[in-house]
Amino acid sequence: MKKGNNKTVWTFLFICVVMLAGCSTPEKETVALKDAYQGKFLMGAALNVDQIEGRDRAGVEIVKHHFNSITAENCMKSMYLQPKEGEFFFEEADRFVEFGEANGMHMVGHTLIWHSQAPDWFFTDEEGNDVSRDVLIERMRNHITTVVGRYKGRIHGWDVVNEAILEDGTYRNSKFYSIIGEEYIPLAFEFAHEADPDTELYYNDYGMGLEGRRNGVVSMVKSLQEKNIPIHGIGMQGHMGLGYPDINEYEKSIQAYSELGLTVMITEMDIIVLPFPSSDVTAEVSLSYEYQQEMNPYTDGLPEPVATVWEEQYVDFFKLFLKHHDKISRVTLWGVSDATSWRNDWPMQGRMDYPLLFDRDYQPKPVVNELIKLGKEQ
Ligand code: XIL
């Protein structure tokens, strides 16, 4: 071959390599989390409205590539679905379900009966007084029947009751409890089952590794089972911070819930690096602390040693989930990118936290590859 020809071939090859590199985004080069955990458990993400409506395109691409289960972060809560009695707003929830169907995803409806993010009218009459037990039961029935009925055969599982049991195992004194009594829980499950007999029904709560709540949830579930009320799974929210929850206690809960014959799901995982402003760490969304600069130390980026400890905690918990993959059907992250995580604003507004697997620029953090390696090894 002539010298000139050789040069042409090399130039051509060089151009091809450059073009190929330019065509593939870093996202596509990464093995998907959902594929690494195939056959173990579903990998889920909570979707916010910008993702559901396609405005957050980078977020949507991550969801499509890495996740095979989705939960609506807010738009299926009662204050959004039924802001006024009898006036339902389904636009965003419909888009959510269409997104899941278009992408062949498992879908979770979150959440039917919760003391928080429920509209005030739900519990009061025209004078602002508490409604009677019968009226509240009727409102519950109507809400659940309308919502679950609308998505019958399309939503795979519902968080029927959210956060009903306290740390000491007693019932939370919510309006549902104070007006109806503990019977509101079996009623909610019955109404949901009547509206869609084929969908799965879950109880979901935070701090589910705590012994007191564990015992309370176990006895509440047993009482449902004694009455033959359908319940299929337990959602352990998984809002964590550096060093908590205690992983051994968390494991005991996975075991205890599974021994009830139910599937266990990690439903709202995130690990914050910022200090929690109170010694009593919860995920009670009504908590709100005044902004303090010293509680927001990482506005210029996360120091390497902190990032390492954070990453190790994700890896340790995923090792635990893999160890119990026969009991766990799904692990869902509560969001996609740190840029839009609720933890930047809760329990203190305006902080910069780093709780999720993708950074503020929607790039996978190194932990993503660690988790993929881990999933593929097992
Ligand atoms: C949070 C959302 O992420 C926030 O956007 C919203 O402002 C408050 O609720 N437990 C739950 C979730 O079950 O629904 C909550 O989601 C977080 C705690």
Side-chain angles (χ1 to χ4, degrees), residues 73-74 77 110 114 117 162-163 237 268 285 334 342:
E73 183 177 1
N74 283 303
K77 294 169 180 174
H110 173 81
W114 187 26
Q117 291 182 281
N162 200 28
E163 303 179 354
Q237 288 187 5
E268 304 184 17
V285 294
W334 203 241
W342 76 300

Side-chain angles (χ1 to χ4, degrees), residues 68-120:
N68 49 15
S69 172
I70 51 172
T71 305
E73 183 177 1
N74 283 303
C75 73
M76 287 183 150
K77 294 169 180 174
S78 58
M79 70 181 274
Y80 297 112
L81 282 184
Q82 200 183 171
K84 290 192 184 145
E85 183 163 21
E87 288 183 23
F88 287 86
F89 174 79
F90 283 120
E91 266 81 350
E92 287 164 357
D94 285 356
R95 294 294 91 74
F96 167 81
V97 175
E98 285 159 14
F99 178 90
E101 285 179 340
N103 293 289
M105 289 171 170
H106 172 269
M107 282 179 269
V108 184
H110 173 81
T111 172
L112 297 168
I113 296 297
W114 187 26
H115 66 281
S116 219
Q117 291 182 281
D120 289 342

Side-chain angles (χ1 to χ4, degrees), residues 28-44:
K28 291 283 176 291
E29 279 165 13
T30 324
V31 176
L33 281 163
K34 65 182 179 202
D35 295 333
Y37 288 87
Q38 185 75 46
K40 304 290 192 313
F41 40 74
L42 295 169
M43 282 296 306

